[in-house]
Amino acid sequence: MRIQCLKDVNTLVCEILNEFLDYLNCEFYSLYEYLSNGDKLENFILPNCKNMVLLECGEEINKLLIRTLDLEFVEEVELNEITIIRIGLNYEEDIQLNYAINRGDFHAN
């Protein structure tokens, strides 16, 4: 799933853990503050190269990790109840952020 606007984040309310949702909200608001150029939050849309991408399974993560030339960073973010994998990929001379919940089978170096 791709997040391009606030509406996309809000559609996740019943679909993902609250802690993950709070984290994604913070990430979205940070991107908004950095990229908005004065746009209202309701009208703000992330450009394609900046979409926030939610990964659903380990297979999707592995597909990204084999793209070593595009890989900018891989990190684990420890929250209270969960650990999030955050992957930055070079995409059209920018960094696209990818997120997944670590289900225990991944450890960043």
Side-chain angles (χ1 to χ4, degrees):
M1 173 177 195
R2 293 182 175 270
I3 296 174
Q4 262 190 305
C5 62
L6 185 59
K7 179 182 173 188
D8 294 339
V9 177
N10 291 336
T11 62
L12 297 171
V13 168
C14 295
E15 295 183 33
I16 64 174
L17 297 170
N18 287 337
E19 194 170 19
F20 192 21
L21 182 62
D22 292 344
Y23 179 81
L24 292 173
N25 265 317
C26 288
E27 291 280 287
F28 182 82
Y29 282 107
S30 293
L31 289 170
Y32 166 72
E33 287 180 15
Y34 182 69
L35 299 168
S36 69
N37 292 325
D39 293 342
K40 290 184 177 183
L41 182 60
E42 304 81 35
N43 299 330
F44 176 70
I45 297 175
L46 287 167
N48 282 338
C49 61
K50 288 283 194 184
N51 287 179
M52 298 166 57
V53 180
L54 301 185
L55 306 172
E56 295 183 24
C57 64
E59 185 177 315
E60 288 182 320
I61 295 168
N62 291 333
K63 283 181 182 178
L64 291 183
L65 295 179
I66 62 172
R67 295 173 49 189
T68 55
L69 293 177
D70 298 328
L71 199 58
E72 184 68 25
F73 64 84
V74 178
E75 62 187 17
E76 289 183 84
V77 178
E78 299 282 336
L79 302 177
N80 291 326
E81 302 286 324
I82 59 173
T83 301
I84 296 170
I85 303 165
R86 187 171 180 257
I87 302 170
L89 289 180
N90 289 314
Y91 181 74
E92 295 183 12
E93 300 181 24
D94 223 326
I95 303 297
Q96 184 173 56
L97 298 173
N98 297 265
Y99 305 88
I101 292 178
N102 188 349
R103 309 250 184 243
D105 55 354
F106 175 85
H107 297 284
N109 296 331

